[in-house]
C-alpha cells in the first residue's frame, strides 16, 4: 500500500471540503462526541450490570478510554512513519502522519462500539437468533446475501450503518465522517456471506448489503487491498490494527479492575496478576514495589498497577506494529497485535483465562446476558412480523405496534430487507434501560403513563 494514498478527508454524503480551524479528523472526533448514537453508549452494558452503588464501565466510558489509548498509539506510530519513510511521503502525508494520525485513531476508537446493541454480546446474539429461529417463515423474503446479514448480525457492520446510513428525513451520509475514520473501524472488511472462522479479517463481517456501495466507496477512497470481488473481501486498513489494539488493551485490563471493585475478584488475585505482567515489562521492579507500599487504599493500588499494565501493553503493541509494519501494509499479518504478545507472555494468558473463569462466567454477568437476550428477542418479535406485512394485511394490533416505531426507522417504500433493517436500527440503538422499559410495557408487566 502506498502511504500517501491510504487516507483522505473525503466524507460520506459527498459533502464539499470546508475550511475550519480544526482539521477534518479533529472534526470527526467532535462529531462523534456530540452524536446521539455515542451518547446512548452511557447506558449500554460493557460487561457488568450497571449497579447504582459501585460505578463500573459502560460502553461510553470504555470507548473514551479506548480513544485515549488509541490517540497515544496513533501519535507514536505517526512519528515512526514520518521518521522512517520520509523519502516515500509527500508534504501532505508528512503533515498527516505527524499531526493527525493520532486524531484518526482516537476518533475511530471513540465510535468503534456505536453499532453494538444493549446488553453486550447477548444483544447481538438475540438479533441473529431471532432470524435463525424463524427461518422457515422469514428466509424466503430475502436473497442469500441479505439473509446472511440477518442471521450473522454483527455490531461492527452495524457501526458502519449507524455512522454512514441516511435515515428517513435526515441528511445524506449519516454522521458524514471521513472515509479514513470509517476504514479504521472495519476489522472485518467483507460481506457476511464471506465470513470464515480462523481468518482474522473474515472472522465476522463488516457491512450490510444496504451499505455495500458506501463501503466500496470507503475502500476505493482509502485504497484497501481487494482480495475478492464476488463476494467482496478486502484486507484490513493499516490503521485498523491500532484501533483493535487499543480496544484489546482496555477490555483485557479494565474488566479485571471493575471485577475487583465489585468484589468479584480479590485484591490479592488482581494485584498478583497485574504485578506479574508489570514485572515482565519493567527494568525497575523495586520502584513499583515501593510505590505500591506507599499506597494504603486497595482500589488505588489496583488503579496504579492498571495504569502500569496499560502503559506496558501500549509500548508492546507499538513495537509489534513497527516490527510487522511491512506485513501490515501488504495485508498479510494474521494475528492481532495483542495476540502476538499474548503468545509470548504467560501472564497475559493467565489474565485471559482468569477473566473467562471468574468474570465472564460470573452469575451477575450471565444473568444480564440471559435477560438481555430475552428482552431483545421479544422486541424484535413485536415489530418485525408487523413491518413485513403489507398495509392491506395489517390488523389493528400490527398498526398499534408500528406506532411505537419513530418515523426515521420506517421504510414503507423499501424492500422487506430495508424495512427489517429499520426495525433493527431502532432496537439495536436502544439503551439497556429503554429496551427493558419498553419490553415491560408491551408485555403488560408495567402499565401506566411515563414520559
Amino acid at each position: 500500500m502506498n502511504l500517501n494514498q491510504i487516507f483522505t478527508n473525503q466524507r460520506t454524503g459527498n459533502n464539499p471540503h470546508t475550511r475550519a480551524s480544526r482539521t477534518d479528523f479533529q472534526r470527526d472526533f467532535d462529531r462523534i462526541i456530540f452524536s446521539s448514537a455515542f451518547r446512548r453508549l452511557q447506558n449500554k452494558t460493557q460487561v457488568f450490570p450497571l449497579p447504582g452503588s459501585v460505578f463500573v464501565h459502560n460502553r461510553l466510558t470504555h470507548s473514551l478510554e479506548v480513544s485515549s489509548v488509541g490517540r497515544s498509539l496513533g501519535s507514536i506510530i505517526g512519528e515512526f512513519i514520518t521518521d522512517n519513510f520520509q523519502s516515500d511521503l509527500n508534504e501532505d502525508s508528512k503533515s498527516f502522519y505527524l499531526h493527525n494520525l493520532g486524531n484518526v485513531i482516537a476518533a475511530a476508537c471513540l465510535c468503534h462500539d456505536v453499532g453494538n446493541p444493549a446488553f453486550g454480546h447477548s444483544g447481538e446474539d438475540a438479533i441473529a437468533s431471532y432470524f435463525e429461529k424463524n427461518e422457515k417463515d422469514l428466509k424466503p423474503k430475502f436473497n442469500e446475501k441479505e439473509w446472511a446479514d440477518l442471521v450473522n448480525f454483527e455490531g461492527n457492520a452495524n457501526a458502519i450503518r449507524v455512522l454512514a446510513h441516511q435515515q428517513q428525513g435526515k441528511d445524506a451520509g449519516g454522521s458524514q465522517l471521513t472515509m479514513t475514520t470509517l476504514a479504521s473501524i472495519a476489522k472485518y472488511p467483507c460481506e457476511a456471506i464471506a465470513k470464515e472462522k480462523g481468518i482474522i479479517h473474515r472472522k465476522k463481517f463488516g457491512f450490510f448489503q444496504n451499505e455495500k456501495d458506501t463501503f466500496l466507496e470507503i475502500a476505493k477512497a482509502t485504497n484497501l487491498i481487494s482480495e475478492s470481488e464476488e463476494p467482496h473481501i478486502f484486507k484490513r486498513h493499516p490503521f485498523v490494527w491500532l484501533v483493535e489494539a487499543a480496544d484489546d488493551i482496555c477490555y483485557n485490563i479494565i474488566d479485571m479492575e471493575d471485577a475487583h471493585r465489585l468484589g468479584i475478584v480479590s485484591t490479592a488475585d488482581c494485584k498478583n496478576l497485574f504485578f506479574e505482567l508489570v514485572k515482565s515489562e519493567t527494568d525497575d521492579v523495586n520502584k513499583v514495589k515501593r510505590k505500591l507500599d506507599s499506597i494504603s487504599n486497595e482500589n488505588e493500588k489496583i488503579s496504579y498497577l492498571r495504569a502500569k499494565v496499560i502503559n506496558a501493553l501500549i509500548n508492546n503493541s507499538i513495537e509489534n506494529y513497527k516490527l510487522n509494519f511491512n506485513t501490515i501494509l501488504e495485508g498479510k499479518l494474521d494475528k492481532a497485535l495483542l495476540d502476538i504478545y499474548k503468545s509470548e507472555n504467560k501472564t497475559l494468558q493467565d489474565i485471559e483465562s482468569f477473566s473467562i473463569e471468574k468474570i465472564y462466567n460470573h452469575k451477575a454477568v450471565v444473568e444480564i446476558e440471559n435477560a438481555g437476550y430475552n428482552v431483545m428477542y421479544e422486541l424484535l418479535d413485536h415489530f418485525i412480523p408487523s413491518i413485513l406485512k403489507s398495509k392491506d394485511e395489517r390488523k389493528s394490533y400490527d398498526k398499534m405496534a408500528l406506532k411505537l416505531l419513530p418515523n426515521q426507522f420506517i421504510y414503507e417504500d423499501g424492500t422487506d430487507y430495508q424495512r427489517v433493517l429499520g426495525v433493527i436500527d431502532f432496537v439495536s440503538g436502544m439503551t439497556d434501560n429503554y429496551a427493558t422499559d419498553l419490553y415491560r410495557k408491551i408485555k403488560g408487566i408495567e402499565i401506566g403513563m411515563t414520559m
Side-chain angles (χ1 to χ4, degrees), residues 35 39 64 77 81 87 90 111 124-125 139 142 155 177 179 202 263 268 331 352 356-357 365 382 416 420 426 436:
S35 70
R39 190 163 57 250
L64 289 169
I77 292 303
I81 292 172
S87 59
N90 59 39
C111 64
E124 288 179 303
D125 293 341
K139 189 175 181 180
F142 309 99
L177 302 181
M179 296 189 180
R202 293 170 60 189
E352 181 179 57
I356 292 171
E357 179 185 354
V365 176
H382 188 72
D416 287 343
V420 165
F426 177 51
T436 303

Side-chain angles (χ1 to χ4, degrees), residues 3-5 7 75 77-102:
L3 288 169
N4 296 301
Q5 297 175 351
F7 66 93
S75 296
I77 292 303
E79 292 176 4
F80 162 76
I81 292 172
T82 306
D83 291 343
N84 290 272
F85 297 89
Q86 227 176 73
S87 59
D88 299 329
L89 302 178
N90 59 39
E91 291 305 312
D92 284 345
S93 296
K94 289 176 185 176
S95 176
F96 169 79
Y97 288 109
L98 195 58
H99 303 298
N100 271 306
L101 181 56

Side-chain angles (χ1 to χ4, degrees), residues 62 246 274:
H62 164 73
F274 281 2

Side-chain angles (χ1 to χ4, degrees), residues 228-358:
S228 166
E229 291 189 1
E230 187 49 56
H232 280 289
I233 304 170
F234 296 92
K235 299 293 188 181
R236 284 178 163 189
H237 191 285
F239 301 163
V240 167
W241 301 92
L242 298 174
V243 176
E244 179 181 59
D247 187 25
D248 289 348
I249 288 169
C250 288
Y251 86 76
N252 270 272
I253 303 307
I254 299 298
D255 291 350
M256 181 78 75
E257 184 181 20
D258 275 352
H260 172 260
R261 286 185 177 272
L262 290 169
I264 294 171
V265 173
S266 70
T267 299
D269 284 339
C270 191
K271 177 182 172 184
N272 291 340
L273 285 166
F274 281 2
F275 184 75
E276 283 301 310
L277 199 150
V278 172
K279 190 167 69 172
S280 68
E281 292 295 319
T282 186
D283 296 327
D284 195 348
V285 178
N286 290 328
K287 181 180 178 181
V288 176
K289 285 181 178 178
R290 288 194 300 271
K291 179 68 173 179
L292 280 174
D293 290 341
S294 71
I295 302 171
S296 58
N297 183 280
E298 289 184 348
N299 286 337
E300 197 64 23
K301 282 180 184 286
I302 300 304
S303 294
Y304 167 70
L305 286 173
R306 178 258 301 149
K308 299 293 289 184
V309 167
I310 287 178
N311 185 64
L313 295 180
I314 288 173
N315 291 335
N316 194 276
S317 296
I318 288 166
E319 289 308 308
N320 278 323
Y321 193 86
K322 291 177 179 178
L323 287 171
N324 292 282
F325 188 64
N326 289 329
T327 308
I328 287 169
L329 288 183
E330 294 167 0
K332 294 180 179 178
L333 188 62
D334 60 359
K335 188 179 286 189
L337 298 177
L338 208 65
D339 285 345
I340 295 172
Y341 181 49
K342 195 180 296 178
S343 65
E344 304 165 350
N345 187 288
K346 186 172 185 308
T347 304
L348 199 53
Q349 296 171 28
D350 291 342
I351 288 174
E352 181 179 57
S353 299
F354 185 90
S355 296
I356 292 171
E357 179 185 354
K358 301 291 186 181

Side-chain angles (χ1 to χ4, degrees), residues 383 387 401-410 422-423 426-427:
F383 295 112
I387 200 70
L402 297 181
K403 284 182 180 180
L404 294 175
L405 283 178
N407 289 335
Q408 67 261 35
F409 301 116
I410 299 176
V423 172
F426 177 51
V427 174

Side-chain angles (χ1 to χ4, degrees), residues 7-8 24-26 28-29 32 70-71 74 96 99-111 178 180-182 184-185 237 239 243:
F7 66 93
T8 176
D24 288 290
F25 309 106
Q26 288 171 327
D28 277 358
F29 186 94
I32 297 162
R71 188 183 298 280
F96 169 79
H99 303 298
N100 271 306
L101 181 56
N103 292 324
V104 168
I105 306 304
C109 288
L110 202 63
C111 64
T178 65
T180 305
T181 294
L182 293 171
S184 300
I185 65 171
H237 191 285
F239 301 163
V243 176

